[in-house]
Amino acid sequence: MEELSKNFIHTFIEEDIAPGGRFEGRQVHTRLPPEPNGYPHIGHCFAFSISINAAARFGGLCNLRFDDTNPDKEEDEFVEAICDDIKWFGFDWGNRLYFGSDYFEKTYELALGLIEKGLAYVCELSPEEVKSRRGDFDTPATSPYRDRPKEESLDLFIRMKNGEFPEGAMTLRAKIDLESGNMNMRDPVIYRIKYTHHHRQGDKWCIYPMYDFAHPIQDALEFITHSLCSNEYEDHRPLYDWVIENTDVPSKPRQIEFGRRSLDYSVMSKRKLRRLVEEGYVSGWDDPRFPTLRGLRRRGYTPASVHDFCDRIGVGKTPNSIEYALLEHCLRDDLNEHAPRTMVVVRPIKLIITNYPEGKSETFSIENNPNDESMGFRDVTFSRELWIESDDFMVEPSKKYNRLFVGNEVRLKGAYIVKCTGYELDDNGDVAIVTAEYDPDSRGGTATDGRKVRGTIHWVDSNNAVDAEVRIYDNLFTDPNPDAAGKDFTECLNPNSLEILKGCKAERSLENAEAPQSFQFLRLGYFTVDNKDSKPGNLVFNRAVALKDGFKPS
């Protein structure tokens, strides 16, 4: 197995499992805790990779556990999508698939235990009242129910579970420290009443544990050694440890935080992504401009490229925004090695070779990938009429323009050298046809008299072409930081983030291409068969990434 990059988390783990460490003799055990209320994005993938790689590095285990303690927006659809995305990413959880809701009964029992110990009480303050009584760094929080007798709290909590009180009427709060400088420790709510149908538990429960209470218990019940999470939970770690120390759980996991990673020209907030979907700014959660794994997969990203990206950006303790160009660079590196080459003309005009015999057709053998000889060659037909890119011809060429213009020669990739002799305009005054003559002795693209031909262009045989739709994607936002305070991120949307080109002309070899196949369209970029709209007779390709690499290492 390839050596995984070491980071500060691995150093902590080494110390923990060393002789005398807190987990001496234990197998390293981590977990992925996705919430089934949306689709995972590249930021989640980075977090997943940290837990997966930590377990792999030390020969440990990694669980997949859905954090489904808040039923409001949780759906089986998201469970299935997350499982599919994580499998695509390459993680096999085996028989270690769990749901936080599977532990509701045990979590409830442990909450009763806290009440018995005098460490939790039922509070009847509304959320607004709790907030108004929270205090500040100079003023302690208050609750008139803090000294409620435990017998009374036990009775009320059981009745809360039995559905005797309206939603919001009561909560169960941990009895910790109303004067703590950490607001998370000021008697946090650990249970609330919520009459919402649960995607797995149905209507069995009407009280639900808060994440900060449920999560450490779930980790402990699964004998997780290292609970790895983003640094937004650093201030919650004292509460995590308090729950572990004060409930009767069978193990004591360690929480370690890392800095979140985000992408420029993107938003990662589920709320904002949901708004973009629901208000029709994008076509759905799998829109290829989205940072969701669904979108990236549809765009043409590969598991190898995402793994490479996650490894390159590293693991640190502070949040960081990463250049989108680095993600593109990782994909380009992967596809350059593995994607077969082909020729597609996306803005076609006709090239007629006037001295090529009418009715004649021949075949050229062209390599599929110069970086991988094992991919072999493909046959491409050639005839008198070809399709070429409209920008491969200019009536009045600019300086250093080496493609077709009257009197100039170019090489047709893998075929012949041709010399432009003229052109014809359509009714709108646009070039519709370019004429040329070919050099019969230049088969394969080499001039027998040694003359130099500077330009090489791609082409498609017009008598053997396949029609296709090609979608050119750019950044969804024009601002590298659309999430910045004081901005309405929707005002930063890029109106030119999608260009749809119809009537494109492709080699016949692409006729049966299927998702998720990717190709390098010569001179144009890397393209992937769309996994939603493409079908036999209606080919649709998405540009995954351009050929030019915009990433410059700092």
Side-chain angles (χ1 to χ4, degrees):
M1 183 177 180
E2 182 179 349
E3 178 67 15
L4 298 167
S5 300
K6 184 176 180 179
N7 55 60
F8 76 95
I9 292 175
H10 298 157
T11 300
F12 287 155
I13 294 175
E14 286 175 345
E15 295 171 354
D16 287 343
I17 62 177
R22 64 188 291 172
F23 297 122
E24 179 184 0
R26 291 273 305 277
Q27 184 178 32
V28 172
H29 204 153
T30 63
R31 86 289 175 266
L32 311 183
E35 299 175 70
N37 62 358
Y39 295 88
H41 54 59
I42 189 68
H44 295 123
C45 214
F46 168 70
F48 293 163
S49 71
I50 292 175
S51 291
I52 293 168
N53 290 344
R57 185 182 185 89
F58 295 98
L61 301 173
C62 183
N63 293 358
L64 172 58
R65 182 209 313 139
F66 284 93
D67 169 31
D68 58 347
T69 57
N70 182 3
D72 280 339
K73 296 179 180 179
E74 296 169 353
E75 299 177 15
D76 289 336
E77 171 193 349
F78 297 131
V79 172
E80 294 170 4
I82 292 169
C83 285
D84 183 62
D85 282 342
I86 293 176
K87 281 183 180 178
W88 171 85
F89 188 55
F91 175 55
D92 180 6
W93 54 85
N95 61 354
R96 296 183 303 281
L97 173 61
Y98 304 97
F99 291 84
S101 58
D102 293 342
Y103 304 109
F104 278 176
E105 194 69 50
K106 184 62 178 178
T107 306
Y108 171 70
E109 291 174 9
L110 293 173
L112 290 173
L114 284 180
I115 299 173
E116 290 278 10
K117 295 175 184 179
L119 294 176
Y121 61 94
V122 171
C123 179
E124 297 178 48
L125 294 176
S126 68
E128 293 75 20
E129 290 171 326
V130 170
K131 184 177 181 180
S132 68
R133 289 171 170 265
R134 196 178 187 188
D136 53 35
F137 289 108
D138 298 317
T139 308
T142 61
S143 172
Y145 303 100
R146 195 170 198 262
D147 296 323
R148 169 171 263 158
K150 65 180 182 182
E151 294 78 12
E152 186 178 341
S153 283
L154 278 170
D155 175 67
L156 290 173
F157 188 53
I158 292 171
R159 292 169 63 192
M160 285 170 58
K161 174 182 177 293
N162 293 337
E164 296 185 24
F165 305 112
E167 188 167 310
M170 296 178 183
T171 59
L172 183 67
R173 297 175 66 177
K175 193 173 185 178
I176 306 179
D177 183 1
L178 292 178
E179 297 183 6
S180 175
N182 184 336
M183 294 296 177
N184 296 299
M185 301 295 281
R186 292 193 173 189
D187 289 12
V189 172
I190 59 176
Y191 260 95
R192 78 284 201 202
I193 302 171
K194 185 178 288 290
Y195 292 99
T196 303
H197 185 82
H198 191 277
H199 74 110
R200 282 176 62 83
Q201 300 290 331
D203 298 317
K204 179 179 178 181
W205 294 89
C206 63
I207 58 170
Y208 290 93
M210 302 298 289
Y211 176 85
D212 281 342
F213 182 62
H215 192 72
I217 290 173
Q218 294 161 10
D219 284 347
L221 294 176
E222 292 177 13
F223 291 89
I224 300 301
T225 56
H226 297 88
S227 184
L228 310 178
C229 57
S230 56
N231 56 4
E232 64 192 282
Y233 292 102
E234 183 173 3
D235 289 343
H236 297 246
R237 193 197 321 147
L239 178 53
Y240 183 100
D241 292 339
W242 184 91
V243 173
I244 294 296
E245 291 296 329
N246 290 283
T247 56
D248 298 324
V249 290
S251 69
K252 296 184 177 181
R254 177 183 181 181
Q255 177 175 302
I256 302 174
E257 305 86 20
F258 53 83
R260 299 181 70 173
R261 298 292 185 263
S262 58
L263 278 180
D264 60 8
Y265 296 99
S266 301
V267 294
M268 297 291 178
S269 159
K270 286 183 182 178
R271 177 181 59 81
K272 292 180 178 179
L273 292 173
R274 183 183 295 275
R275 181 179 168 191
L276 292 172
V277 172
E278 293 178 348
E279 296 183 11
Y281 292 107
V282 293
S283 62
W285 288 96
D286 61 350
D287 190 294
R289 294 165 292 183
F290 249 25
T292 56
L293 291 189
R294 295 263 134 169
L296 292 173
R297 291 171 64 178
R298 188 175 176 190
R299 176 85 167 253
Y301 278 83
T302 62
S305 66
V306 176
H307 277 286
D308 185 25
F309 173 73
C310 291
D311 194 49
R312 284 175 184 251
I313 63 180
V315 180
K317 295 184 179 181
T318 56
N320 197 7
S321 179
I322 310 299
E323 292 181 69
Y324 200 100
L326 174 57
L327 179 61
E328 293 181 320
H329 174 81
C330 293
L331 177 61
R332 192 179 291 107
D333 269 6
D334 184 34
L335 294 182
N336 183 52
E337 294 300 317
H338 302 110
R341 276 50 172 170
T342 189
M343 293 190 289
V344 176
V345 175
V346 299
R347 295 177 176 87
I349 58 173
K350 186 68 68 69
L351 173 66
I352 299 177
I353 305 172
T354 56
N355 66 332
Y356 192 88
E358 291 190 38
K360 179 181 177 180
S361 177
E362 58 187 307
T363 300
F364 290 92
S365 184
I366 300 179
E367 61 189 353
N368 284 323
N369 189 329
N371 298 321
D372 187 351
E373 293 182 359
S374 68
M375 296 180 71
F377 292 78
R378 70 191 185 282
D379 289 336
V380 179
T381 62
F382 182 91
S383 66
R384 189 171 187 266
E385 296 188 4
L386 309 174
W387 294 110
I388 62 170
E389 294 289 347
S390 60
D391 61 4
D392 281 339
F393 172 80
M394 292 188 72
V395 174
E396 297 181 5
S398 57
K399 190 176 182 181
K400 296 184 179 181
Y401 184 78
N402 293 321
R403 287 167 278 172
L404 285 171
F405 55 88
V406 176
N408 194 47
E409 286 188 315
V410 300
R411 182 181 296 103
L412 299 177
K413 169 68 178 176
Y416 292 105
I417 294 172
V418 298
K419 183 176 183 179
C420 182
T421 57
Y423 62 91
E424 297 178 17
L425 304 179
D426 63 18
D427 294 340
N428 296 319
D430 298 322
V431 176
I433 296 174
V434 177
T435 58
E437 294 181 348
Y438 85 119
D439 177 357
D441 296 326
S442 65
R443 182 180 170 88
T446 302
T448 56
D449 60 3
R451 70 186 186 277
K452 293 182 179 180
V453 177
R454 295 183 180 277
T456 299
I457 66 174
H458 65 281
W459 52 273
V460 173
D461 183 357
S462 66
N463 294 315
N464 197 26
V466 177
D467 283 339
E469 177 180 308
V470 172
R471 299 169 180 176
I472 308 295
Y473 292 96
D474 200 352
N475 292 327
L476 185 58
F477 295 95
T478 57
D479 191 316
N481 187 16
D483 247 346
K487 296 179 183 177
D488 179 351
F489 72 103
T490 62
E491 294 182 359
C492 304
L493 285 165
N494 179 6
N496 302 312
S497 62
L498 170 61
E499 181 182 11
I500 298 176
L501 303 174
K502 296 182 180 292
C504 304
K505 307 299 181 181
E507 286 183 25
R508 177 63 59 178
S509 62
L510 292 178
E511 183 176 25
N512 297 313
E514 297 179 345
Q517 286 181 291
S518 294
F519 303 87
Q520 184 194 101
F521 291 1
L522 291 182
R523 302 173 63 224
L524 300 179
Y526 295 95
F527 293 76
T528 299
V529 181
D530 186 82
N531 62 19
K532 191 171 185 179
D533 297 330
S534 189
K535 56 181 67 71
N538 183 43
L539 280 174
V540 179
F541 291 94
N542 299 322
R543 188 176 72 177
V545 64
L547 286 178
K548 185 178 179 181
D549 194 338
F551 177 68
K552 297 178 180 180
S554 56

